[in-house]
Amino acid sequence: MSPRARAVDPDRLARWCREHLGSPPAEELFRSGHLSAVVGLRLADGREVVVKARPDSPRLAGCVEVQRRLFRAGYPCPRPLTGVTPFDGDVATAETFVPGGDALPGADHAAVAFAEAFARLIRLAPRPAEVPALDPAPSWADWDHAGEGLWPRSEEDPGVDLDGAAGAEWVDEAGRRARDLLRAGGSDAVIGHCDWLAGNLRWNGDALLVVHDWDSVVADGEAVLVGFAAALHSTAGADALATVGETERFLDAYRRARGRGFGAGELRRAWAAGVWTRAYDAKYQHAVGRPVTSLSEDEARERLRRAGAG
């Protein structure tokens, strides 16, 4: 995913806050983001908020509505304060600022905590038909895209053509085999989070404090969404990714939290989904000249074996 930073003009931000939040900024608390500009603010009326500016997409209205419904249902996510509104050629939204928490739950319970938090999200999320469309999925989750090539065109970084990037043939082969396995079956879509990285969650001990990055809401089969999460979370650090063993523990914990097991076909799809999303990131890293860290050839082979690809 692109590392580019987006600039936000302070005067324009102040006008936007007055118009949409009813109070101008009094203090900037933090500034971060790469696909979006994320600015934490203390407003003149004392509220602490986060404003997020990014390019417009037809899916963002659905993402905000999912977040709003999950907050109302008691899920630990920031409360949306606005809808999707224009901002200097982009769009912006605001939500409450939820500070504090730890990067990881307790080490002995981490995989279970991540899995239970994801199962609760799936359980409380609205049905896809109840919210505006969530298409197209972010590129790292868009295994069923309508394009002709293996890899989707990246809306996040449109200047990068993964299909045109020569080399790393083993990554292409892993992505192709995972996509073929995913296309061989299917199930009704549910709503979940496709970027279940440790860096997007904060904890109070083993209790989930908050989940961030609700632009990563998607609708897909439950096994696919669980497979993404099982492959992306980590019990080692916010910048790490799950090992094969951690993925297996996550899937076992999710089945217990779900209250019923996965069938053999669902389990294979979950492993295949994890290969797809990790291979997408690996191909992106190769295409932009970075070290490939999201997936190794040996790990791809083992994950594909568990997905039933031999």
Side-chain angles (χ1 to χ4, degrees):
M1 288 161 274
S2 169
R4 69 186 186 279
R6 305 187 68 83
V8 174
D9 177 75
D11 292 336
R12 180 67 186 94
L13 179 61
R15 292 195 300 273
W16 187 92
C17 288
R18 284 194 294 268
E19 180 179 356
H20 296 284
L21 298 173
S23 180
E27 179 184 357
E28 184 173 307
L29 303 176
F30 66 86
R31 187 178 291 247
S32 64
H34 56 279
L35 299 179
S36 306
V38 182
V39 185
L41 300 168
R42 181 175 293 113
L43 301 180
D45 63 11
R47 288 178 293 162
E48 293 186 344
V49 304
V50 176
V51 177
K52 187 173 185 179
R54 64 282 207 198
D56 195 8
S57 170
R59 66 188 314 276
L60 292 179
C63 293
V64 173
E65 182 60 21
V66 170
Q67 182 181 353
R68 180 176 290 109
R69 289 185 180 222
L70 282 167
F71 176 82
R72 289 174 177 169
Y75 195 76
C77 59
R79 179 168 68 93
L81 300 174
T82 70
V84 181
T85 65
F87 187 93
D88 271 1
D90 287 338
V91 294
T93 55
E95 63 189 29
T96 54
F97 176 43
V98 183
D102 301 316
L104 293 170
D108 294 340
H109 188 66
V112 174
F114 275 101
E116 290 177 346
F118 198 76
R120 184 183 174 199
L121 190 162
I122 295 287
R123 184 170 63 252
L124 292 178
R127 294 188 297 271
E130 296 174 344
V131 299
L134 295 169
D135 298 325
S139 301
W140 61 92
D142 198 12
W143 61 270
D144 200 26
H145 64 93
E148 294 182 0
L150 170 62
W151 305 110
R153 297 292 294 189
S154 174
E155 288 197 358
E156 300 80 24
D157 201 348
V160 177
D161 178 9
L162 300 191
D163 286 314
E169 288 84 1
W170 68 268
V171 178
D172 292 331
E173 181 62 17
R176 184 175 296 105
R177 294 172 74 184
R179 181 193 61 181
D180 290 346
L181 288 164
L182 291 169
R183 287 182 172 176
S187 60
D188 292 340
V190 298
I191 286 176
H193 195 295
C194 72
D195 208 15
W196 203 244
L197 294 165
N200 284 331
L201 288 77
R202 302 293 289 180
W203 304 85
N204 281 331
D206 290 340
L208 182 63
L209 172 66
V210 64
V211 177
H212 295 294
D213 187 20
W214 290 94
D215 286 2
S216 292
V217 168
V218 293
D220 208 326
E222 183 180 6
V224 174
L225 297 176
V226 173
F228 291 155
L232 292 176
H233 89 290
S234 173
T235 63
D239 296 324
L241 294 173
T243 65
V244 171
E246 287 173 333
T247 294
E248 186 171 39
R249 289 191 290 275
F250 183 105
L251 293 172
D252 288 342
Y254 184 87
R255 291 197 295 267
R256 292 193 296 273
R258 183 194 197 205
R260 57 189 174 91
F262 281 136
E266 290 178 302
L267 190 58
R268 288 194 294 269
R269 285 173 61 77
W271 281 102
V275 174
W276 165 267
T277 194
R278 297 274 290 267
Y280 175 90
D281 283 348
K283 184 65 176 184
Y284 179 88
Q285 290 162 353
H286 169 77
V288 299
R290 296 184 200 163
V292 175
T293 59
S294 290
L295 190 66
S296 71
E297 190 168 1
D298 287 344
E299 187 176 17
R301 187 179 300 112
E302 175 60 20
R303 288 177 178 275
L304 284 167
R305 185 188 69 80
R306 293 170 182 249

